[in-house]
Amino acid sequence: MTAPIDPSALSPGQARALFRAGLRAPTAGWCRGWTQANLIAVPREHAYDLLLFAQRNPKPCPVLDVTEPGGTSASLFSGDLRTDLPGYVVYEDGEPVAEVGDATGHWRDDLVSFLIGCSFTFEAALLDAGVPVRHVEQGRNVPMYRTNRMCRRAGEFGGPLVVSMRPVPAARVADAVRITARYPSVHGAPVHVGDPVELGIDDLGRPDYGEPVDVHVDEVPVFWACGVTPQAAVAASRPKFAIGHAPGHMAITDARDSRYLVP
């Protein structure tokens, strides 16, 4: 199955139907104006620690919604969390054991699902202001990197901050900071601008998740906190079981981007 010619024009329901039917694709640029979210689902016994981890690390883990144990939809997501994302990663003892387009066969009745804010939500605002979003331009998955900054531990969960990177013309960095700061519930302003080595990133061409993008000579790498951070915490902390979205393959919710815009 191929992606539609203009995925930005789709409604969330239309996009979810395509993913349910088997389409696999990164979702940057999809469903313009609709909020996207990261998914992390853990057994009920681990849910409090994960919620506390998110509360202690709100920049990478802004919680938009949480389901009841076993829930397969949420107030922000009327689809099926098991089937309506384009990709999932299944973890056992912190190790990724499967990457699937349908998580139904792995789902458990005790799973509590967290929808975490995603920086794709503010990309339309960047584009409207004329700030380039390179991974959308190049049709690639956004590059994401594990950093040398450790999150605050909570119970059994701890691990490194994960960031997404967008190259921004030096003259527009202040605009990018100003625009994204108005979306604090979807990561907000960048956590770092400039030299990636300060984050422990040795090579922008080798992201830990996603795909590399071109950085032009007049551009500065700008890094935002990323909602893949809970999956890095799962890998570091090794709970018995978890399911996350495939990085860059998000839950497209029924909430408008404007819901998370602050004056």
Side-chain angles (χ1 to χ4, degrees):
M1 181 180 294
T2 58
I5 294 173
D6 184 11
S8 69
L10 297 177
S11 70
Q14 290 171 326
R16 294 193 296 252
L18 289 173
F19 302 146
R20 195 181 315 125
L23 178 64
R24 299 286 300 274
T27 54
W30 282 63
C31 302
R32 188 179 180 93
W34 297 94
T35 297
Q36 300 198 29
N38 302 269
L39 171 69
I40 185 71
V42 296
R44 182 175 185 170
E45 65 184 286
H46 304 305
Y48 176 76
D49 282 355
L50 185 58
L51 183 62
L52 186 59
F53 179 80
Q55 190 275 333
R56 289 180 176 174
N57 299 281
K59 192 75 169 175
C61 307
V63 176
L64 304 184
D65 208 347
V66 184
T67 70
E68 296 288 341
T72 58
S73 61
S75 62
L76 296 180
F77 189 90
S78 60
D80 191 322
L81 290 168
R82 301 168 298 181
T83 61
D84 292 2
L85 280 67
Y88 304 83
V89 181
V90 181
Y91 295 90
E92 294 180 1
D93 297 315
E95 296 291 333
V97 296
E99 187 162 334
V100 296
D102 183 333
T104 304
H106 300 272
W107 207 261
R108 292 171 34 166
D109 290 340
D110 64 342
L111 288 182
V112 177
S113 297
F114 293 75
L115 293 177
I116 305 289
C118 173
S119 57
F120 288 174
T121 301
F122 57 57
E123 289 182 342
L126 290 173
L127 291 169
D128 287 344
V131 178
V133 178
R134 186 61 37 74
H135 57 275
V136 174
E137 290 177 2
Q138 295 190 292
R140 297 179 184 174
N141 198 356
V142 63
M144 294 159 275
Y145 307 84
R146 290 189 294 269
T147 73
N148 57 8
R149 297 187 184 180
M150 297 303 293
C151 294
R152 286 186 63 196
R153 191 170 188 89
E156 69 176 289
F157 287 104
L161 170 70
V162 177
V163 294
S164 60
M165 189 280 293
R166 295 161 183 80
V168 177
R172 302 303 307 276
V173 168
D175 294 327
V177 172
R178 173 182 53 80
I179 291 164
T180 58
R182 297 182 65 194
Y183 292 86
S185 295
V186 291
H187 305 307
V191 295
H192 182 69
V193 175
D195 189 357
V197 174
E198 294 184 17
L199 293 175
I201 300 168
D202 296 324
D203 185 355
L204 288 177
R206 299 180 63 186
D208 295 294
Y209 315 93
E211 300 173 280
V213 297
D214 297 340
V215 181
H216 300 162
V217 293
D218 64 335
E219 293 178 332
V220 177
V222 181
F223 300 88
W224 281 266
C226 179
V228 176
T229 297
Q231 294 192 49
V234 164
S237 306
R238 308 180 69 83
K240 288 293 185 182
F241 189 78
I243 296 177
H245 68 289
H249 298 64
M250 316 306 295
I252 300 179
T253 78
D254 300 304
R256 288 284 187 179
D257 294 349
S258 55
R259 175 172 180 168
Y260 302 104
L261 174 66
V262 299

